[in-house]
Amino acid sequence: RHTLRFERWLDHPREKAWRAITDKREVPHWFPAEIHGAREEGARLRFVFPNEEGPPTDGHMLVFDPPRTMEFDWNREILRFELEERDGGTSLVFTHTFADVAKSARDASGWTVCLDALEKRLDGEEAEQFTPERFDALFADYAAKFGPEASAKREPEA
């Protein structure tokens, strides 16, 4: 298993950040899919992509400890959000654990776009549009950092 780890400083109270990552009305503004299902440990989840960009997938809520930790499995991969309040803001640690190292640069690029959009949403600003050029630049950067084995898969699985 491989893990991508992102740390972000959010200049907002933890409760506001928690709402942004858990509230069904907020999630679609930055996460790649709508998350249907109860926000409680053990709940079944359904991930639905906007505009039918992909088939719905299933998962389960593994940890739900407001306003600190949310962890769920999504298509046999683990996503974990940890929030720690300090110094008048919130530290966000996001991890994505998965089996296929070849998609590391691709997924890191996608999560960078998502986390940037989350920050913009919290700041009350419009997120930068996802464009092929932006993805290309991020992918090239991560591929250079991670190496060829971790950047062999650039396109999403069908």
Side-chain angles (χ1 to χ4, degrees), residues 19-40 43-50 56-61 64 70-74 79 81 94 111:
R19 274 192 309 278
I21 67 169
T22 62
D23 187 285
K24 294 174 185 181
R25 294 169 302 226
E26 291 297 317
V27 170
H29 292 282
W30 64 272
F31 195 76
E34 294 177 10
I35 305 172
H36 299 270
R39 302 307 197 252
E40 61 186 38
R44 294 181 143 215
L45 302 174
R46 184 98 168 141
F47 300 89
V48 178
F49 292 91
T57 56
D58 296 312
H60 288 89
M61 186 68 70
F64 195 77
M70 179 174 69
E71 178 181 276
F72 53 84
D73 76 279
W74 181 16
L79 278 62
F81 300 83
F94 168 71
W111 289 126

Side-chain angles (χ1 to χ4, degrees), residues 64-83:
F64 195 77
D65 181 22
R68 293 172 201 84
T69 308
M70 179 174 69
E71 178 181 276
F72 53 84
D73 76 279
W74 181 16
N75 205 25
R76 295 181 304 273
E77 300 182 36
I78 306 296
L79 278 62
R80 183 177 179 92
F81 300 83
E82 298 175 82
L83 299 174

Side-chain angles (χ1 to χ4, degrees), residues 18-156:
W18 182 254
R19 274 192 309 278
I21 67 169
T22 62
D23 187 285
K24 294 174 185 181
R25 294 169 302 226
E26 291 297 317
V27 170
H29 292 282
W30 64 272
F31 195 76
E34 294 177 10
I35 305 172
H36 299 270
R39 302 307 197 252
E40 61 186 38
E41 285 187 30
R44 294 181 143 215
L45 302 174
R46 184 98 168 141
F47 300 89
V48 178
F49 292 91
N51 306 318
E52 299 178 14
E53 292 172 7
T57 56
D58 296 312
H60 288 89
M61 186 68 70
L62 302 173
V63 177
F64 195 77
D65 181 22
R68 293 172 201 84
T69 308
M70 179 174 69
E71 178 181 276
F72 53 84
D73 76 279
W74 181 16
N75 205 25
R76 295 181 304 273
E77 300 182 36
I78 306 296
L79 278 62
R80 183 177 179 92
F81 300 83
E82 298 175 82
L83 299 174
E84 181 182 331
E85 194 165 48
R86 66 172 198 258
D87 302 326
T90 303
S91 168
L92 165 65
V93 175
F94 168 71
T95 56
H96 175 195
T97 303
F98 53 96
D100 188 0
V101 70
K103 66 190 203 83
S104 299
R106 179 195 74 202
D107 287 3
S109 301
W111 289 126
T112 296
V113 170
C114 291
L115 294 172
D116 288 351
L118 172 63
E119 284 189 66
K120 292 286 191 184
R121 179 74 179 166
L122 284 166
D123 292 342
E125 301 173 15
E126 288 293 319
E128 183 179 340
Q129 291 297 312
F130 179 81
T131 63
E133 295 79 18
R134 183 167 183 227
F135 179 83
D136 290 346
L138 288 167
F139 185 86
D141 185 49
Y142 282 115
K145 290 176 183 172
F146 295 170
E149 181 184 7
S151 55
K153 289 187 177 176
R154 189 177 189 294
E155 302 299 323

